[in-house]
Amino acid sequence: MPHVVPATSAAIQQAATILRASGVVAFPTETVYGLGACTFNERAIDLVYTIKGRPADNPLIAHVIDSNQAREIVAAGAWDDRCELLASRFWPGPLTLVLPKSSRVPHQATAGRSTVAVRSPRHPVARSLLGSLGEPVSAPSANRSGRVSPTSAQHVLDEFENVAEARDLIILDGGACEVGIESTVLDVSTAKPRILRHGSVTLEQLRSTIGAVESPDIRTQHASPGTAQSHYAPATRAELIASADLPEILRRYAGNGVQCVALVQQSPQVVAPHAWIAMPRDAATYAHDLYQCLREADAIGADRIIIECPQGEDDLWRAIRDRLRRAAAGG
Ligand code: TXA
Ligand code: MG
């Protein structure tokens, strides 16, 4: 069975040794936990795909210690002034840049694409692991494909405890993730930078750093395979519902003998047979708690998860609603 170990410096050294020996390890980042392999090791990258059950066409993010290491895995000349500005403002942190890749990066790590996604995490455990290894680490979120991303070591254990290929997996425990949702993904492989996934680094922040940035409706674009309609899905069927419709919907379900767990921000009019979980009112705390709450909702074992759609105009709310829509597309 996979095992959780406190992220002491000895454990981090051991994790680096495992990566060097073509193994995989799970480790915390400030966004979510990752399942990492050495970027240049094709066999280890294959193992990441196997453990996750990830489709072979969905590329991975390479985690680097800094922009110098990023330059080593992107094509010559690809790291331009825009990248320099973005990295100096947002790295280390939750911003991923998509750039033409260097031939050093095996096609396994980019699912055959000519681009590579790269980010420098700020979590001290991730940084210490990258520092010990001295090489980039390709890591998707440490969940089974399509499921809710893990924001604690226990979540990673819950995901993989029954996966045969993960029986020796070490999970470095660095506590609960600070941000709670995945990094913003920005495609800078073309003249017009474009957001492929919303996150806590906002469109406004990106625009104020490099000027024009496109933000297409992520629901209708297919530039990033990982932005499939259904993603981040709990096992229980989930629905995203406007606040005003909540009482009526819950009444109707109760009448039909359907038990719900409602994730609500407003003081709840939720009564038996339904259960409820109180969601935070500010965006940063909502993002931080979201995946934990979806997992708790799953554990209640109700027939349906009903999520009150949070209002709020700023970009972090937008990123949160994006995750909620995908969670609700899973049923
Ligand atoms: O916060 C995060 O980004 C976390 C932590 C562990 O760093 N990682 C993460 O990885 O969320 P993953 O694999 O779950 O999501 C990576 C996203 C996917 O939507 C994938 O399709 C996209 O990045 N992506 C990766 N490489 C790409 C590329 N070359 N072109 C376009 N999209 C890419
Ligand atoms: Mg993921």
Side-chain angles (χ1 to χ4, degrees), residues 29 31-32 34 54 58-61 63 98 113 115 117 119 139-141 182-183 196-197 224-226:
T29 81
T31 57
V32 301
R54 185 173 177 105
N58 194 355
L60 308 182
I61 295 175
H63 296 70
V98 174
R113 294 188 168 225
T115 51
R119 92 170 182 100
S141 52
E182 306 79 359
S183 60
L196 301 181
R197 180 173 72 185
S224 203

mmCIF file with all atom_site columns, all heavy atoms in Angstrom, residues 29 31-32 34 54 58-61 63 98 113 115 117 119 139-141 182-183 196-197 224-226, ligand 1:
data_model
loop_
_atom_site.group_PDB
_atom_site.id
_atom_site.type_symbol
_atom_site.label_atom_id
_atom_site.label_alt_id
_atom_site.label_comp_id
_atom_site.label_asym_id
_atom_site.label_entity_id
_atom_site.label_seq_id
_atom_site.pdbx_PDB_ins_code
_atom_site.Cartn_x
_atom_site.Cartn_y
_atom_site.Cartn_z
_atom_site.occupancy
_atom_site.B_iso_or_equiv
_atom_site.pdbx_formal_charge
_atom_site.auth_seq_id
_atom_site.auth_comp_id
_atom_site.auth_asym_id
_atom_site.auth_atom_id
_atom_site.pdbx_PDB_model_num
ATOM   1   N N   . THR A 1 29  ? 2.428  20.604 -3.460  1.00 0.00 ? 29  THR A N   1
ATOM   2   C CA  . THR A 1 29  ? 2.767  21.918 -4.011  1.00 0.00 ? 29  THR A CA  1
ATOM   3   C C   . THR A 1 29  ? 1.790  22.899 -3.369  1.00 0.00 ? 29  THR A C   1
ATOM   4   O O   . THR A 1 29  ? 0.878  22.488 -2.651  1.00 0.00 ? 29  THR A O   1
ATOM   5   C CB  . THR A 1 29  ? 2.646  21.997 -5.554  1.00 0.00 ? 29  THR A CB  1
ATOM   6   O OG1 . THR A 1 29  ? 1.283  22.198 -5.892  1.00 0.00 ? 29  THR A OG1 1
ATOM   7   C CG2 . THR A 1 29  ? 3.200  20.756 -6.239  1.00 0.00 ? 29  THR A CG2 1
ATOM   8   N N   . THR A 1 31  ? -0.537 24.396 -4.783  1.00 0.00 ? 31  THR A N   1
ATOM   9   C CA  . THR A 1 31  ? -1.873 24.290 -5.400  1.00 0.00 ? 31  THR A CA  1
ATOM   10  C C   . THR A 1 31  ? -2.542 23.000 -4.953  1.00 0.00 ? 31  THR A C   1
ATOM   11  O O   . THR A 1 31  ? -3.515 23.023 -4.198  1.00 0.00 ? 31  THR A O   1
ATOM   12  C CB  . THR A 1 31  ? -1.761 24.325 -6.932  1.00 0.00 ? 31  THR A CB  1
ATOM   13  O OG1 . THR A 1 31  ? -0.895 23.275 -7.367  1.00 0.00 ? 31  THR A OG1 1
ATOM   14  C CG2 . THR A 1 31  ? -1.265 25.668 -7.414  1.00 0.00 ? 31  THR A CG2 1
ATOM   15  N N   . VAL A 1 32  ? -2.029 21.867 -5.436  1.00 0.00 ? 32  VAL A N   1
ATOM   16  C CA  . VAL A 1 32  ? -2.544 20.542 -5.088  1.00 0.00 ? 32  VAL A CA  1
ATOM   17  C C   . VAL A 1 32  ? -1.330 19.602 -5.022  1.00 0.00 ? 32  VAL A C   1
ATOM   18  O O   . VAL A 1 32  ? -0.230 19.998 -5.409  1.00 0.00 ? 32  VAL A O   1
ATOM   19  C CB  . VAL A 1 32  ? -3.567 20.031 -6.140  1.00 0.00 ? 32  VAL A CB  1
ATOM   20  C CG1 . VAL A 1 32  ? -4.756 20.979 -6.273  1.00 0.00 ? 32  VAL A CG1 1
ATOM   21  C CG2 . VAL A 1 32  ? -2.924 19.823 -7.522  1.00 0.00 ? 32  VAL A CG2 1
ATOM   22  N N   . GLY A 1 34  ? 1.087  16.613 -6.246  1.00 0.00 ? 34  GLY A N   1
ATOM   23  C CA  . GLY A 1 34  ? 1.466  16.098 -7.559  1.00 0.00 ? 34  GLY A CA  1
ATOM   24  C C   . GLY A 1 34  ? 2.009  14.678 -7.456  1.00 0.00 ? 34  GLY A C   1
ATOM   25  O O   . GLY A 1 34  ? 2.471  14.236 -6.391  1.00 0.00 ? 34  GLY A O   1
ATOM   26  N N   . ARG A 1 54  ? -4.344 7.850  -16.659 1.00 0.00 ? 54  ARG A N   1
ATOM   27  C CA  . ARG A 1 54  ? -4.497 9.087  -17.439 1.00 0.00 ? 54  ARG A CA  1
ATOM   28  C C   . ARG A 1 54  ? -4.452 8.778  -18.936 1.00 0.00 ? 54  ARG A C   1
ATOM   29  O O   . ARG A 1 54  ? -3.586 8.018  -19.388 1.00 0.00 ? 54  ARG A O   1
ATOM   30  C CB  . ARG A 1 54  ? -3.346 10.031 -17.087 1.00 0.00 ? 54  ARG A CB  1
ATOM   31  C CG  . ARG A 1 54  ? -3.421 11.418 -17.739 1.00 0.00 ? 54  ARG A CG  1
ATOM   32  C CD  . ARG A 1 54  ? -2.321 12.259 -17.138 1.00 0.00 ? 54  ARG A CD  1
ATOM   33  N NE  . ARG A 1 54  ? -2.166 13.583 -17.647 1.00 0.00 ? 54  ARG A NE  1
ATOM   34  C CZ  . ARG A 1 54  ? -2.549 14.694 -17.005 1.00 0.00 ? 54  ARG A CZ  1
ATOM   35  N NH1 . ARG A 1 54  ? -3.204 14.589 -15.871 1.00 0.00 ? 54  ARG A NH1 1
ATOM   36  N NH2 . ARG A 1 54  ? -2.290 15.874 -17.492 1.00 0.00 ? 54  ARG A NH2 1
ATOM   37  N N   . ASN A 1 58  ? -2.961 13.364 -22.791 1.00 0.00 ? 58  ASN A N   1
ATOM   38  C CA  . ASN A 1 58  ? -3.019 14.512 -21.866 1.00 0.00 ? 58  ASN A CA  1
ATOM   39  C C   . ASN A 1 58  ? -1.631 14.784 -21.270 1.00 0.00 ? 58  ASN A C   1
ATOM   40  O O   . ASN A 1 58  ? -1.156 14.029 -20.434 1.00 0.00 ? 58  ASN A O   1
ATOM   41  C CB  . ASN A 1 58  ? -4.056 14.229 -20.771 1.00 0.00 ? 58  ASN A CB  1
ATOM   42  C CG  . ASN A 1 58  ? -4.403 15.485 -19.993 1.00 0.00 ? 58  ASN A CG  1
ATOM   43  O OD1 . ASN A 1 58  ? -3.807 16.546 -20.194 1.00 0.00 ? 58  ASN A OD1 1
ATOM   44  N ND2 . ASN A 1 58  ? -5.357 15.375 -19.087 1.00 0.00 ? 58  ASN A ND2 1
ATOM   45  N N   . PRO A 1 59  ? -0.968 15.865 -21.704 1.00 0.00 ? 59  PRO A N   1
ATOM   46  C CA  . PRO A 1 59  ? 0.431  16.111 -21.317 1.00 0.00 ? 59  PRO A CA  1
ATOM   47  C C   . PRO A 1 59  ? 0.599  16.545 -19.858 1.00 0.00 ? 59  PRO A C   1
ATOM   48  O O   . PRO A 1 59  ? -0.360 16.954 -19.208 1.00 0.00 ? 59  PRO A O   1
ATOM   49  C CB  . PRO A 1 59  ? 0.843  17.249 -22.257 1.00 0.00 ? 59  PRO A CB  1
ATOM   50  C CG  . PRO A 1 59  ? -0.427 17.940 -22.622 1.00 0.00 ? 59  PRO A CG  1
ATOM   51  C CD  . PRO A 1 59  ? -1.509 16.907 -22.583 1.00 0.00 ? 59  PRO A CD  1
ATOM   52  N N   . LEU A 1 60  ? 1.829  16.458 -19.371 1.00 0.00 ? 60  LEU A N   1
ATOM   53  C CA  . LEU A 1 60  ? 2.137  16.760 -17.967 1.00 0.00 ? 60  LEU A CA  1
ATOM   54  C C   . LEU A 1 60  ? 2.819  18.123 -17.822 1.00 0.00 ? 60  LEU A C   1
ATOM   55  O O   . LEU A 1 60  ? 3.424  18.637 -18.769 1.00 0.00 ? 60  LEU A O   1
ATOM   56  C CB  . LEU A 1 60  ? 3.081  15.694 -17.397 1.00 0.00 ? 60  LEU A CB  1
ATOM   57  C CG  . LEU A 1 60  ? 2.679  14.234 -17.571 1.00 0.00 ? 60  LEU A CG  1
ATOM   58  C CD1 . LEU A 1 60  ? 3.715  13.324 -16.893 1.00 0.00 ? 60  LEU A CD1 1
ATOM   59  C CD2 . LEU A 1 60  ? 1.296  13.973 -16.990 1.00 0.00 ? 60  LEU A CD2 1
ATOM   60  N N   . ILE A 1 61  ? 2.771  18.656 -16.607 1.00 0.00 ? 61  ILE A N   1
ATOM   61  C CA  . ILE A 1 61  ? 3.493  19.890 -16.290 1.00 0.00 ? 61  ILE A CA  1
ATOM   62  C C   . ILE A 1 61  ? 4.870  19.513 -15.730 1.00 0.00 ? 61  ILE A C   1
ATOM   63  O O   . ILE A 1 61  ? 4.965  18.676 -14.827 1.00 0.00 ? 61  ILE A O   1
ATOM   64  C CB  . ILE A 1 61  ? 2.713  20.723 -15.255 1.00 0.00 ? 61  ILE A CB  1
ATOM   65  C CG1 . ILE A 1 61  ? 1.379  21.201 -15.849 1.00 0.00 ? 61  ILE A CG1 1
ATOM   66  C CG2 . ILE A 1 61  ? 3.547  21.908 -14.766 1.00 0.00 ? 61  ILE A CG2 1
ATOM   67  C CD1 . ILE A 1 61  ? 0.471  21.926 -14.860 1.00 0.00 ? 61  ILE A CD1 1
ATOM   68  N N   . HIS A 1 63  ? 7.887  20.530 -13.473 1.00 0.00 ? 63  HIS A N   1
ATOM   69  C CA  . HIS A 1 63  ? 8.153  21.441 -12.363 1.00 0.00 ? 63  HIS A CA  1
ATOM   70  C C   . HIS A 1 63  ? 9.652  21.720 -12.321 1.00 0.00 ? 63  HIS A C   1
ATOM   71  O O   . HIS A 1 63  ? 10.456 20.784 -12.369 1.00 0.00 ? 63  HIS A O   1
ATOM   72  C CB  . HIS A 1 63  ? 7.674  20.824 -11.051 1.00 0.00 ? 63  HIS A CB  1
ATOM   73  C CG  . HIS A 1 63  ? 6.172  20.628 -11.019 1.00 0.00 ? 63  HIS A CG  1
ATOM   74  N ND1 . HIS A 1 63  ? 5.538  19.685 -11.786 1.00 0.00 ? 63  HIS A ND1 1
ATOM   75  C CD2 . HIS A 1 63  ? 5.204  21.283 -10.338 1.00 0.00 ? 63  HIS A CD2 1
ATOM   76  C CE1 . HIS A 1 63  ? 4.226  19.763 -11.574 1.00 0.00 ? 63  HIS A CE1 1
ATOM   77  N NE2 . HIS A 1 63  ? 3.992  20.723 -10.693 1.00 0.00 ? 63  HIS A NE2 1
ATOM   78  N N   . VAL A 1 98  ? 3.109  27.423 -21.162 1.00 0.00 ? 98  VAL A N   1
ATOM   79  C CA  . VAL A 1 98  ? 3.239  26.434 -22.242 1.00 0.00 ? 98  VAL A CA  1
ATOM   80  C C   . VAL A 1 98  ? 4.105  27.030 -23.343 1.00 0.00 ? 98  VAL A C   1
ATOM   81  O O   . VAL A 1 98  ? 3.801  28.107 -23.873 1.00 0.00 ? 98  VAL A O   1
ATOM   82  C CB  . VAL A 1 98  ? 1.852  26.015 -22.790 1.00 0.00 ? 98  VAL A CB  1
ATOM   83  C CG1 . VAL A 1 98  ? 2.003  25.107 -24.016 1.00 0.00 ? 98  VAL A CG1 1
ATOM   84  C CG2 . VAL A 1 98  ? 1.037  25.308 -21.707 1.00 0.00 ? 98  VAL A CG2 1
ATOM   85  N N   . ARG A 1 113 ? 3.204  16.150 -27.805 1.00 0.00 ? 113 ARG A N   1
ATOM   86  C CA  . ARG A 1 113 ? 3.109  17.546 -28.272 1.00 0.00 ? 113 ARG A CA  1
ATOM   87  C C   . ARG A 1 113 ? 4.480  18.164 -28.494 1.00 0.00 ? 113 ARG A C   1
ATOM   88  O O   . ARG A 1 113 ? 5.462  17.747 -27.888 1.00 0.00 ? 113 ARG A O   1
ATOM   89  C CB  . ARG A 1 113 ? 2.355  18.383 -27.252 1.00 0.00 ? 113 ARG A CB  1
ATOM   90  C CG  . ARG A 1 113 ? 0.932  17.939 -27.169 1.00 0.00 ? 113 ARG A CG  1
ATOM   91  C CD  . ARG A 1 113 ? 0.126  18.878 -26.312 1.00 0.00 ? 113 ARG A CD  1
ATOM   92  N NE  . ARG A 1 113 ? -1.270 18.540 -26.537 1.00 0.00 ? 113 ARG A NE  1
ATOM   93  C CZ  . ARG A 1 113 ? -2.235 19.409 -26.749 1.00 0.00 ? 113 ARG A CZ  1
ATOM   94  N NH1 . ARG A 1 113 ? -2.003 20.695 -26.720 1.00 0.00 ? 113 ARG A NH1 1
ATOM   95  N NH2 . ARG A 1 113 ? -3.463 19.002 -26.975 1.00 0.00 ? 113 ARG A NH2 1
ATOM   96  N N   . THR A 1 115 ? 5.006  21.154 -27.568 1.00 0.00 ? 115 THR A N   1
ATOM   97  C CA  . THR A 1 115 ? 5.136  22.141 -26.493 1.00 0.00 ? 115 THR A CA  1
ATOM   98  C C   . THR A 1 115 ? 5.286  21.433 -25.154 1.00 0.00 ? 115 THR A C   1
ATOM   99  O O   . THR A 1 115 ? 4.910  20.272 -25.016 1.00 0.00 ? 115 THR A O   1
ATOM   100 C CB  . THR A 1 115 ? 3.880  23.032 -26.428 1.00 0.00 ? 115 THR A CB  1
ATOM   101 O OG1 . THR A 1 115 ? 2.726  22.184 -26.378 1.00 0.00 ? 115 THR A OG1 1
ATOM   102 C CG2 . THR A 1 115 ? 3.793  23.961 -27.630 1.00 0.00 ? 115 THR A CG2 1
ATOM   103 N N   . ALA A 1 117 ? 4.609  22.205 -20.843 1.00 0.00 ? 117 ALA A N   1
ATOM   104 C CA  . ALA A 1 117 ? 4.093  23.092 -19.805 1.00 0.00 ? 117 ALA A CA  1
ATOM   105 C C   . ALA A 1 117 ? 5.101  23.104 -18.665 1.00 0.00 ? 117 ALA A C   1
ATOM   106 O O   . ALA A 1 117 ? 5.598  22.053 -18.269 1.00 0.00 ? 117 ALA A O   1
ATOM   107 C CB  . ALA A 1 117 ? 2.736  22.590 -19.325 1.00 0.00 ? 117 ALA A CB  1
ATOM   108 N N   . ARG A 1 119 ? 6.297  24.944 -14.785 1.00 0.00 ? 119 ARG A N   1
ATOM   109 C CA  . ARG A 1 119 ? 6.054  25.879 -13.680 1.00 0.00 ? 119 ARG A CA  1
ATOM   110 C C   . ARG A 1 119 ? 7.019  25.630 -12.537 1.00 0.00 ? 119 ARG A C   1
ATOM   111 O O   . ARG A 1 119 ? 7.512  24.520 -12.357 1.00 0.00 ? 119 ARG A O   1
ATOM   112 C CB  . ARG A 1 119 ? 4.599  25.843 -13.211 1.00 0.00 ? 119 ARG A CB  1
ATOM   113 C CG  . ARG A 1 119 ? 4.254  24.893 -12.079 1.00 0.00 ? 119 ARG A CG  1
ATOM   114 C CD  . ARG A 1 119 ? 2.831  25.191 -11.590 1.00 0.00 ? 119 ARG A CD  1
ATOM   115 N NE  . ARG A 1 119 ? 2.426  24.346 -10.470 1.00 0.00 ? 119 ARG A NE  1
ATOM   116 C CZ  . ARG A 1 119 ? 2.448  24.730 -9.190  1.00 0.00 ? 119 ARG A CZ  1
ATOM   117 N NH1 . ARG A 1 119 ? 2.870  25.943 -8.845  1.00 0.00 ? 119 ARG A NH1 1
ATOM   118 N NH2 . ARG A 1 119 ? 2.060  23.905 -8.226  1.00 0.00 ? 119 ARG A NH2 1
ATOM   119 N N   . ALA A 1 139 ? 4.833  16.285 -13.268 1.00 0.00 ? 139 ALA A N   1
ATOM   120 C CA  . ALA A 1 139 ? 3.845  15.812 -12.300 1.00 0.00 ? 139 ALA A CA  1
ATOM   121 C C   . ALA A 1 139 ? 2.458  16.335 -12.600 1.00 0.00 ? 139 ALA A C   1
ATOM   122 O O   . ALA A 1 139 ? 2.241  17.546 -12.602 1.00 0.00 ? 139 ALA A O   1
ATOM   123 C CB  . ALA A 1 139 ? 4.241  16.243 -10.887 1.00 0.00 ? 139 ALA A CB  1
ATOM   124 N N   . PRO A 1 140 ? 1.521  15.434 -12.824 1.00 0.00 ? 140 PRO A N   1
ATOM   125 C CA  . PRO A 1 140 ? 0.118  15.831 -12.839 1.00 0.00 ? 140 PRO A CA  1
ATOM   126 C C   . PRO A 1 140 ? -0.395 15.856 -11.406 1.00 0.00 ? 140 PRO A C   1
ATOM   127 O O   . PRO A 1 140 ? 0.322  15.445 -10.481 1.00 0.00 ? 140 PRO A O   1
ATOM   128 C CB  . PRO A 1 140 ? -0.541 14.696 -13.624 1.00 0.00 ? 140 PRO A CB  1
ATOM   129 C CG  . PRO A 1 140 ? 0.279  13.489 -13.277 1.00 0.00 ? 140 PRO A CG  1
ATOM   130 C CD  . PRO A 1 140 ? 1.693  13.992 -13.037 1.00 0.00 ? 140 PRO A CD  1
ATOM   131 N N   . SER A 1 141 ? -1.620 16.314 -11.205 1.00 0.00 ? 141 SER A N   1
ATOM   132 C CA  . SER A 1 141 ? -2.222 16.223 -9.885  1.00 0.00 ? 141 SER A CA  1
ATOM   133 C C   . SER A 1 141 ? -2.314 14.743 -9.487  1.00 0.00 ? 141 SER A C   1
ATOM   134 O O   . SER A 1 141 ? -2.535 13.879 -10.349 1.00 0.00 ? 141 SER A O   1
ATOM   135 C CB  . SER A 1 141 ? -3.601 16.874 -9.897  1.00 0.00 ? 141 SER A CB  1
ATOM   136 O OG  . SER A 1 141 ? -4.390 16.361 -10.954 1.00 0.00 ? 141 SER A OG  1
ATOM   137 N N   . GLU A 1 182 ? -5.805 24.088 -8.940  1.00 0.00 ? 182 GLU A N   1
ATOM   138 C CA  . GLU A 1 182 ? -4.628 23.937 -9.789  1.00 0.00 ? 182 GLU A CA  1
ATOM   139 C C   . GLU A 1 182 ? -4.174 25.267 -10.379 1.00 0.00 ? 182 GLU A C   1
ATOM   140 O O   . GLU A 1 182 ? -4.951 26.222 -10.502 1.00 0.00 ? 182 GLU A O   1
ATOM   141 C CB  . GLU A 1 182 ? -4.919 22.946 -10.924 1.00 0.00 ? 182 GLU A CB  1
ATOM   142 C CG  . GLU A 1 182 ? -5.434 21.590 -10.471 1.00 0.00 ? 182 GLU A CG  1
ATOM   143 C CD  . GLU A 1 182 ? -6.906 21.593 -10.104 1.00 0.00 ? 182 GLU A CD  1
ATOM   144 O OE1 . GLU A 1 182 ? -7.552 22.655 -10.170 1.00 0.00 ? 182 GLU A OE1 1
ATOM   145 O OE2 . GLU A 1 182 ? -7.408 20.517 -9.739  1.00 0.00 ? 182 GLU A OE2 1
ATOM   146 N N   . SER A 1 183 ? -2.923 25.268 -10.848 1.00 0.00 ? 183 SER A N   1
ATOM   147 C CA  . SER A 1 183 ? -2.301 26.491 -11.367 1.00 0.00 ? 183 SER A CA  1
ATOM   148 C C   . SER A 1 183 ? -3.022 27.040 -12.603 1.00 0.00 ? 183 SER A C   1
ATOM   149 O O   . SER A 1 183 ? -3.679 26.305 -13.335 1.00 0.00 ? 183 SER A O   1
ATOM   150 C CB  . SER A 1 183 ? -0.845 26.193 -11.748 1.00 0.00 ? 183 SER A CB  1
ATOM   151 O OG  . SER A 1 183 ? -0.794 25.191 -12.747 1.00 0.00 ? 183 SER A OG  1
ATOM   152 N N   . LEU A 1 196 ? -5.315 28.770 -20.813 1.00 0.00 ? 196 LEU A N   1
ATOM   153 C CA  . LEU A 1 196 ? -5.881 27.448 -21.083 1.00 0.00 ? 196 LEU A CA  1
ATOM   154 C C   . LEU A 1 196 ? -6.612 26.896 -19.856 1.00 0.00 ? 196 LEU A C   1
ATOM   155 O O   . LEU A 1 196 ? -7.446 26.022 -19.976 1.00 0.00 ? 196 LEU A O   1
ATOM   156 C CB  . LEU A 1 196 ? -4.788 26.453 -21.487 1.00 0.00 ? 196 LEU A CB  1
ATOM   157 C CG  . LEU A 1 196 ? -3.968 26.802 -22.729 1.00 0.00 ? 196 LEU A CG  1
ATOM   158 C CD1 . LEU A 1 196 ? -2.939 25.708 -23.007 1.00 0.00 ? 196 LEU A CD1 1
ATOM   159 C CD2 . LEU A 1 196 ? -4.869 27.005 -23.938 1.00 0.00 ? 196 LEU A CD2 1
ATOM   160 N N   . ARG A 1 197 ? -6.240 27.390 -18.673 1.00 0.00 ? 197 ARG A N   1
ATOM   161 C CA  . ARG A 1 197 ? -6.935 26.970 -17.454 1.00 0.00 ? 197 ARG A CA  1
ATOM   162 C C   . ARG A 1 197 ? -6.858 28.120 -16.464 1.00 0.00 ? 197 ARG A C   1
ATOM   163 O O   . ARG A 1 197 ? -5.773 28.653 -16.220 1.00 0.00 ? 197 ARG A O   1
ATOM   164 C CB  . ARG A 1 197 ? -6.273 25.713 -16.867 1.00 0.00 ? 197 ARG A CB  1
ATOM   165 C CG  . ARG A 1 197 ? -6.942 25.207 -15.591 1.00 0.00 ? 197 ARG A CG  1
ATOM   166 C CD  . ARG A 1 197 ? -6.384 23.878 -15.110 1.00 0.00 ? 197 ARG A CD  1
ATOM   167 N NE  . ARG A 1 197 ? -5.048 24.017 -14.550 1.00 0.00 ? 197 ARG A NE  1
ATOM   168 C CZ  . ARG A 1 197 ? -4.298 23.001 -14.146 1.00 0.00 ? 197 ARG A CZ  1
ATOM   169 N NH1 . ARG A 1 197 ? -4.742 21.765 -14.222 1.00 0.00 ? 197 ARG A NH1 1
ATOM   170 N NH2 . ARG A 1 197 ? -3.095 23.230 -13.649 1.00 0.00 ? 197 ARG A NH2 1
ATOM   171 N N   . SER A 1 224 ? -6.313 22.452 -24.543 1.00 0.00 ? 224 SER A N   1
ATOM   172 C CA  . SER A 1 224 ? -5.671 21.728 -23.463 1.00 0.00 ? 224 SER A CA  1
ATOM   173 C C   . SER A 1 224 ? -6.512 20.499 -23.165 1.00 0.00 ? 224 SER A C   1
ATOM   174 O O   . SER A 1 224 ? -7.651 20.614 -22.728 1.00 0.00 ? 224 SER A O   1
ATOM   175 C CB  . SER A 1 224 ? -5.586 22.640 -22.241 1.00 0.00 ? 224 SER A CB  1
ATOM   176 O OG  . SER A 1 224 ? -4.582 22.231 -21.388 1.00 0.00 ? 224 SER A OG  1
ATOM   177 N N   . PRO A 1 225 ? -5.971 19.317 -23.429 1.00 0.00 ? 225 PRO A N   1
ATOM   178 C CA  . PRO A 1 225 ? -6.770 18.114 -23.283 1.00 0.00 ? 225 PRO A CA  1
ATOM   179 C C   . PRO A 1 225 ? -7.332 17.950 -21.877 1.00 0.00 ? 225 PRO A C   1
ATOM   180 O O   . PRO A 1 225 ? -8.394 17.376 -21.693 1.00 0.00 ? 225 PRO A O   1
ATOM   181 C CB  . PRO A 1 225 ? -5.799 16.986 -23.604 1.00 0.00 ? 225 PRO A CB  1
ATOM   182 C CG  . PRO A 1 225 ? -4.549 17.607 -24.069 1.00 0.00 ? 225 PRO A CG  1
ATOM   183 C CD  . PRO A 1 225 ? -4.586 19.062 -23.802 1.00 0.00 ? 225 PRO A CD  1
ATOM   184 N N   . GLY A 1 226 ? -6.599 18.458 -20.895 1.00 0.00 ? 226 GLY A N   1
ATOM   185 C CA  . GLY A 1 226 ? -7.038 18.296 -19.507 1.00 0.00 ? 226 GLY A CA  1
ATOM   186 C C   . GLY A 1 226 ? -8.248 19.130 -19.152 1.00 0.00 ? 226 GLY A C   1
ATOM   187 O O   . GLY A 1 226 ? -8.793 19.022 -18.061 1.00 0.00 ? 226 GLY A O   1
HETATM 188 O O1  . TXA B 2 .   ? -1.254 23.232 -9.964  1.00 0.00 ? 1   TXA B O1  1
HETATM 189 C C1  . TXA B 2 .   ? -0.956 22.422 -10.831 1.00 0.00 ? 1   TXA B C1  1
HETATM 190 O O2  . TXA B 2 .   ? -0.792 22.742 -12.016 1.00 0.00 ? 1   TXA B O2  1
HETATM 191 C C2  . TXA B 2 .   ? -0.799 20.943 -10.422 1.00 0.00 ? 1   TXA B C2  1
HETATM 192 C C3  . TXA B 2 .   ? 0.425  20.824 -9.516  1.00 0.00 ? 1   TXA B C3  1
HETATM 193 C C4  . TXA B 2 .   ? 0.754  19.391 -9.169  1.00 0.00 ? 1   TXA B C4  1
HETATM 194 O O3  . TXA B 2 .   ? 1.510  21.477 -10.118 1.00 0.00 ? 1   TXA B O3  1
HETATM 195 N N1  . TXA B 2 .   ? -0.674 20.111 -11.561 1.00 0.00 ? 1   TXA B N1  1
HETATM 196 C C5  . TXA B 2 .   ? -1.734 19.831 -12.371 1.00 0.00 ? 1   TXA B C5  1
HETATM 197 O O4  . TXA B 2 .   ? -1.410 18.944 -13.390 1.00 0.00 ? 1   TXA B O4  1
HETATM 198 O O5  . TXA B 2 .   ? -2.845 20.302 -12.229 1.00 0.00 ? 1   TXA B O5  1
HETATM 199 P P1  . TXA B 2 .   ? -2.504 18.239 -14.288 1.00 0.00 ? 1   TXA B P1  1
HETATM 200 O O6  . TXA B 2 .   ? -1.746 17.266 -15.096 1.00 0.00 ? 1   TXA B O6  1
HETATM 201 O O7  . TXA B 2 .   ? -3.586 17.712 -13.435 1.00 0.00 ? 1   TXA B O7  1
HETATM 202 O O8  . TXA B 2 .   ? -3.015 19.387 -15.210 1.00 0.00 ? 1   TXA B O8  1
HETATM 203 C C6  . TXA B 2 .   ? -2.142 19.914 -16.203 1.00 0.00 ? 1   TXA B C6  1
HETATM 204 C C7  . TXA B 2 .   ? -2.929 20.702 -17.188 1.00 0.00 ? 1   TXA B C7  1
HETATM 205 C C8  . TXA B 2 .   ? -3.831 19.819 -18.017 1.00 0.00 ? 1   TXA B C8  1
HETATM 206 O O9  . TXA B 2 .   ? -5.037 20.522 -18.256 1.00 0.00 ? 1   TXA B O9  1
HETATM 207 C C9  . TXA B 2 .   ? -3.007 19.613 -19.283 1.00 0.00 ? 1   TXA B C9  1
HETATM 208 O O10 . TXA B 2 .   ? -3.802 19.279 -20.396 1.00 0.00 ? 1   TXA B O10 1
HETATM 209 C C10 . TXA B 2 .   ? -2.350 20.975 -19.423 1.00 0.00 ? 1   TXA B C10 1
HETATM 210 O O11 . TXA B 2 .   ? -2.011 21.343 -18.098 1.00 0.00 ? 1   TXA B O11 1
HETATM 211 N N2  . TXA B 2 .   ? -1.127 20.877 -20.217 1.00 0.00 ? 1   TXA B N2  1
HETATM 212 C C11 . TXA B 2 .   ? 0.044  20.282 -19.881 1.00 0.00 ? 1   TXA B C11 1
HETATM 213 N N3  . TXA B 2 .   ? 0.930  20.354 -20.883 1.00 0.00 ? 1   TXA B N3  1
HETATM 214 C C12 . TXA B 2 .   ? 0.329  21.042 -21.887 1.00 0.00 ? 1   TXA B C12 1
HETATM 215 C C13 . TXA B 2 .   ? 0.732  21.449 -23.196 1.00 0.00 ? 1   TXA B C13 1
HETATM 216 N N4  . TXA B 2 .   ? 1.929  21.136 -23.675 1.00 0.00 ? 1   TXA B N4  1
HETATM 217 N N5  . TXA B 2 .   ? -0.158 22.131 -23.955 1.00 0.00 ? 1   TXA B N5  1
HETATM 218 C C14 . TXA B 2 .   ? -1.386 22.432 -23.475 1.00 0.00 ? 1   TXA B C14 1
HETATM 219 N N6  . TXA B 2 .   ? -1.834 22.070 -22.240 1.00 0.00 ? 1   TXA B N6  1
HETATM 220 C C15 . TXA B 2 .   ? -0.992 21.381 -21.460 1.00 0.00 ? 1   TXA B C15 1
#
